[in-house]
Amino acid sequence: MRFFALGPVCVFFLLLWVPACGEKVTSGSVNPCCYLPCQNQGVCVRYAEDKYECDCIRTGFHGENCTVPEFWTRVRLFLRPSPGAVHFILTHFSWIWDIVNSTFMRDFLMRLVLTVRSNFIPSPPTYNSKYSYLSWESYYNVSYYTRLLPPVPEDCPTPLGVRGGAGLPDPELLVEKLFKRKTFRKDPQRCNLMFAFFAQHFTHQFFKTYNRMGPGFTKALGHGVDAGHIYGDSLKRQLQLRLLKDGKLKYQLINGEMYPPTTLEAPVKMNYPPNTPQNQQLAFGHELFGLLPGLGMYGTIWLREHNRVCDILKTLHPHWDDEQLFQTTRFIIIGETIRIVIEEYVQQLSGYHMKLKFDPTMLHNTDFQYGNRIALEFDHLYHWHPLMPDALNIDGDTFTYEQFIFNTSILSHYGIEKLVESFSRQPAGQIGGGYNLHAIVVHVAVKTIEVSRLLRVQPFNEYRKRFNLKPYTSFREFSDDEEIALQLEEFYHGDINALEFYPGLLLEKTRPGAIFGESMVEMGAPFSLKGLLGNPICSPTYWKPSTFGGKVGFDIVNSATLKKLVCLNTKTCPYVAFRVPTQAELEKENRKRKDEL
Ligand code: HEM
Ligand SMILES: *[C@@H]1O[C@H](CO)[C@@H](O)[C@H](O)[C@H]1NC(C)=O
Ligand SMILES: *[C@@H]1O[C@H](CO)[C@@H](O)[C@H](O)[C@H]1NC(C)=O
Ligand SMILES: *[C@@H]1O[C@H](CO)[C@@H](O)[C@H](O)[C@H]1NC(C)=O
Ligand SMILES: *[C@@H]1O[C@H](CO)[C@@H](O)[C@H](O)[C@H]1NC(C)=O
């Protein structure tokens, strides 16, 4: 009887990590794995009360905590260049790269980049937010985001294991003090809003947290570039968006130009404020693309591109049915996306002088594994809200957040050309370095930090080690900004190992002239490249002309650019790029305009 009465109470208290119900928590009874003792990807297994073992197999290390390198590991570590040095070379000495760009060296180095980066990501995937050990459920249940590092065990004293025992900072206060924008600071790499909205629209196909199930779950079961933001994340939604004729998607014509249908014509569930008239509710694959003109713009561009490619395939294959035209076009759209992402978006983001190349055959003779599972850490890392400006400048008009949020009339009022031109000219904010988050999205950063504690994401320094980066030894080493270093030191009671994952990524000192710091690049790139190249269309069986409807379709994929994507779907061709034009580019453009007159 007593047992039944006490049971739920015990569970309640255990959830709060309060020593209760007769379980005396002495220092000896802390789960030894809470100290995160196993280094170099060794796996911690608890045995008796305070006994644990690190499984060091295939780590290249041995010893109690997998810290003693084997001979060949020693050699490898000695020869391995530091990420900082590699980055410096890739972003300097343009004369070297001018030579490399046009020789076999480009392919060699590109293959090296791809294999080295993707080797950080285990395939098949491993943990998730419920399972900090390997399990069938964790492998099999794709409703979870995977986890690169296992969550800190539930029975640990703090969400970070034992770190942060003196108390973790209040997320609201932390964000208010160090994240929130003072005055807009533009990105020194010259990323523009065309880039920012691309980042957002592209990543929202695979970052779709299923909040009703919990913060560790996703609605995007494709776990990668499946173009679910265009076609919807379920078959039902896809069918509602399709015209079911010639492979096409439903659309409406406004002033003779193609726009997404309203929810009257395509009855999909969209997230609009309740008072929005239905004839202003545009239907997109993604529920939230009515939120911002930039998302609506990309949604419209892809809609036009899909229907344009359908027309091309239809003339080539007059006997194909709607289904085959649709499915093949979807593959072409996915292929175009991956090419634009690698050769233009990542190129812009990296600042590399090496010309990046999307060529899946590079990996066909390596042991690269196809397939991908989106990680929670990748989702958190990609919360790049400092990109957002204070207001939007569209064709000479200024829109505040109140004016442009959920204002779908902007799309057809200005048209795609003017939006592209305006967004290509307006600078985006610098992501790293702190003090650059617009007030309207402050709550998003707060929630990210809260969720990371709830889901027991390991400390920033543990992720530094996982990606072969040296853990920081002080807040001053971490940040070159006196104010940030001091404030963090106070927030985290002087313990750099208590610094959390997301604040670490956003507040780290930026690389000189760069959009963010070392960690964002070194941790983001592996997730990103694994997701792009791990797509089934890149595998040897799929990557051939027939998959894309023959040579014509394959050529579309192999020659896709951002400029073509826009200009093959608009009447006039605006300035379109992922970075704001330089003075030289502006002058060149002006001369061209004068010549035309
Ligand atoms: C005015 C512009 C934006 C607004 C108002 C906005 C707002 C939001 C909100 C409310 C959430 C959900 C937070 C939560 O409930 O956990 C979110 C999530 C997110 N945002 Fe933004 N955002 C904006 C721009 C961007 C941009 C430019 C990016 C660039 C990459 C971005 C990336 C993300 C990511 C990755 C998530 C997580 C998505 C998920 O897991 O479902 N956002 N944003
Ligand atoms: C292994 O890690 C534990 C916990 O961090 C530590 O107490 C112990 O001294 C370490 N052992 C060795 C051999 O370094
Ligand atoms: C090499 O590629 C980079 C990046 O695309 C570019 O900036 C540079 O101009 C290229 N050089 C040559 C000679 O193509
Ligand atoms: C995945 O796990 C969640 C939580 O346990 C469960 O609700 C869901 O049904 C599982 N999905 C599948 C396909 O088994
Ligand atoms: C929505 O955008 C239009 C321009 O397309 C503008 O005239 C209108 O004022 C905006 N609505 C609000 C509520 O600001």
Side-chain angles (χ1 to χ4, degrees):
M1 201 56 223
R2 260 191 66 165
F3 176 82
F4 284 103
L6 267 175
V9 183
C10 287
V11 170
F12 177 75
F13 277 112
L14 285 174
L15 280 174
L16 294 172
W17 312 289
V18 170
C21 312
E23 251 196 76
K24 244 195 2 244
V25 177
T26 63
S27 62
S29 69
V30 169
N31 176 350
C33 291
C34 297
Y35 292 90
L36 310 175
C38 308
Q39 304 300 304
N40 300 301
Q41 299 190 49
V43 176
C44 190
V45 185
R46 184 184 194 181
Y47 285 86
E49 194 63 7
D50 56 358
K51 195 175 156 323
Y52 71 94
E53 263 177 29
C54 295
D55 186 347
C56 308
I57 209 82
R58 282 185 289 280
T59 62
F61 292 81
H62 60 267
E64 188 186 344
N65 297 332
C66 315
T67 49
V68 186
E70 290 159 6
F71 175 72
W72 285 112
T73 307
R74 229 179 268 278
V75 174
R76 204 164 40 78
L77 290 181
F78 179 74
L79 293 177
R80 190 170 72 201
S82 82
V86 173
H87 183 84
F88 189 83
I89 294 169
L90 281 163
T91 52
H92 291 77
F93 316 111
S94 52
W95 56 274
I96 299 184
W97 298 110
D98 282 355
I99 299 166
V100 169
N101 275 359
S102 50
T103 65
F104 72 95
M105 281 294 286
R106 179 187 177 203
D107 283 28
F108 173 79
L109 289 173
M110 188 69 205
R111 184 181 298 116
L112 194 64
V113 168
L114 292 176
T115 48
V116 169
R117 295 283 198 200
S118 43
N119 273 336
F120 281 104
I121 309 300
S123 197
T126 50
Y127 313 105
N128 67 29
S129 295
K130 179 170 174 194
Y131 295 94
S132 57
Y133 48 90
L134 297 185
S135 68
W136 184 260
E137 183 64 15
S138 178
Y139 163 73
Y140 181 74
N141 190 331
V142 296
S143 293
Y144 289 95
Y145 288 119
T146 187
R147 294 278 286 266
L148 187 68
L149 287 181
V152 167
E154 286 289 343
D155 56 1
C156 293
T158 80
L160 298 171
V162 294
R163 300 287 172 178
L168 290 169
D170 172 27
E172 304 240 6
L173 203 60
L174 175 61
V175 171
E176 185 70 29
K177 281 245 157 126
L178 297 178
F179 284 65
K180 197 171 169 186
R181 178 170 290 161
K182 290 181 174 168
T183 55
F184 176 77
R185 196 169 73 244
K186 71 178 178 197
D187 165 36
Q189 285 178 226
R190 297 194 286 116
C191 285
N192 57 24
L193 293 188
M194 198 66 187
F195 176 92
F197 290 129
F198 192 95
Q200 190 183 15
H201 105 282
F202 166 72
T203 59
H204 277 45
Q205 71 191 296
F206 46 77
F207 297 141
K208 285 188 90 170
T209 302
Y210 200 164
N211 280 309
R212 266 198 300 169
M213 256 178 110
F217 293 94
T218 176
K219 270 187 280 195
L221 304 181
H223 285 276
V225 186
D226 63 355
H229 58 321
I230 305 170
Y231 305 112
D233 62 15
S234 69
L235 185 56
K236 181 170 168 240
R237 194 174 176 94
Q238 181 203 112
L239 292 170
Q240 288 169 329
L241 290 163
R242 281 170 61 176
L243 197 57
L244 299 176
K245 188 172 176 299
D246 300 341
K248 290 189 177 178
L249 293 170
K250 288 179 186 168
Y251 60 90
Q252 61 172 316
L253 292 176
I254 303 175
N255 307 325
E257 297 201 282
M258 191 184 290
Y259 287 95
T262 68
T263 50
L264 292 166
E265 293 123 18
V268 294
K269 200 190 146 291
M270 292 293 297
N271 295 342
Y272 284 102
N275 54 350
T276 316
Q278 245 199 328
N279 65 359
Q280 279 173 35
Q281 295 193 18
L282 299 182
F284 295 95
H286 193 289
E287 296 83 341
L288 259 165
F289 274 23
L291 176 71
L292 304 170
L295 296 175
M297 174 192 75
Y298 275 113
T300 306
I301 293 173
W302 283 118
L303 165 71
R304 292 183 187 180
E305 179 65 2
H306 177 95
N307 286 348
R308 187 186 76 85
V309 172
C310 282
D311 281 335
I312 295 172
L313 287 185
K314 167 97 175 167
T315 54
L316 287 167
H317 309 281
H319 301 291
W320 276 12
D321 62 4
D322 165 72
E323 189 67 18
Q324 193 163 5
L325 288 167
F326 171 82
Q327 298 294 350
T328 306
T329 300
R330 183 173 187 165
F331 267 163
I332 293 177
I333 296 297
I334 291 172
E336 288 184 43
T337 304
I338 299 177
R339 178 165 304 274
I340 292 170
V341 169
I342 293 180
E343 295 190 353
E344 299 183 74
Y345 172 88
V346 175
Q347 183 81 59
Q348 163 60 23
L349 194 61
S350 69
Y352 291 172
H353 287 311
M354 181 174 89
K355 203 167 154 65
L356 301 183
K357 185 172 176 181
F358 171 50
D359 178 2
T361 63
M362 279 181 176
L363 295 176
H364 287 177
N365 295 316
T366 71
D367 61 3
F368 182 80
Q369 303 288 303
Y370 291 90
N372 188 50
R373 193 79 60 89
I374 297 296
L376 181 93
E377 294 98 329
F378 191 29
D379 178 310
H380 282 199
L381 167 158
Y382 232 114
H383 280 62
W384 290 355
H385 295 91
L387 283 171
M388 292 311 295
D390 290 340
L392 292 183
N393 306 324
I394 304 176
D395 196 34
D397 299 330
T398 301
F399 284 88
T400 63
Y401 281 80
E402 291 68 39
Q403 291 168 325
F404 69 72
I405 282 196
F406 287 118
N407 189 342
T408 52
S409 77
I410 294 177
L411 200 56
S412 51
H413 182 266
Y414 290 94
I416 296 301
E417 285 99 324
K418 285 199 171 130
L419 290 176
V420 168
E421 175 104 25
S422 306
F423 294 155
S424 294
R425 291 181 187 282
Q426 187 176 350
Q430 183 179 32
I431 297 171
Y435 306 119
N436 208 19
L437 187 60
H438 191 279
I440 205 123
V441 278
V442 151
H443 71 283
V444 185
V446 172
K447 179 147 178 225
T448 310
I449 297 168
E450 287 169 351
V451 163
S452 85
R453 289 184 194 170
L454 195 68
L455 298 183
R456 312 178 78 76
V457 174
Q458 293 195 23
F460 182 60
N461 261 345
E462 294 301 319
Y463 283 94
R464 295 268 306 167
K465 289 188 275 180
R466 179 61 177 73
F467 285 97
N468 287 344
L469 302 168
K470 225 170 55 50
Y472 283 113
T473 53
S474 72
F475 286 100
R476 282 178 186 276
E477 189 195 1
F478 166 79
S479 172
D480 48 14
D481 181 297
E482 178 89 358
E483 216 176 297
I484 293 182
L486 283 176
Q487 187 60 253
L488 282 176
E489 202 160 311
E490 191 185 319
F491 273 142
Y492 288 99
H493 303 279
D495 186 2
I496 185 73
N497 291 315
L499 177 61
E500 293 162 284
F501 180 65
Y502 186 63
L505 284 162
L506 268 92
L507 302 176
E508 182 184 32
K509 60 180 178 265
T510 57
R511 278 169 163 160
I515 188 163
F516 37 45
E518 173 185 67
S519 302
M520 190 75 89
V521 178
E522 304 301 321
M523 298 180 193
F527 287 122
S528 162
L529 294 176
K530 172 72 184 174
L532 293 163
L533 272 301
N535 194 287
I537 68 161
C538 299
S539 70
T541 349
Y542 284 51
W543 187 252
K544 50 180 76 168
S546 52
T547 307
F548 304 91
K551 183 178 181 308
V552 172
F554 204 33
D555 283 347
I556 294 178
V557 170
N558 282 318
S559 64
T561 63
L562 177 68
K563 184 166 182 182
K564 277 201 209 168
L565 174 64
V566 170
C567 294
L568 292 177
N569 293 299
T570 50
K571 291 192 179 124
T572 60
C573 190
Y575 172 71
V576 43
F578 283 141
R579 56 190 172 97
V580 289
T582 57
Q583 198 54 40
E585 282 164 349
L586 280 175
E587 280 162 16
K588 194 172 136 203
E589 202 187 320
N590 283 340
R591 277 199 301 278
K592 214 178 89 195
R593 290 231 168 122
K594 273 196 202 123
D595 289 348
E596 281 165 7
L597 290 174

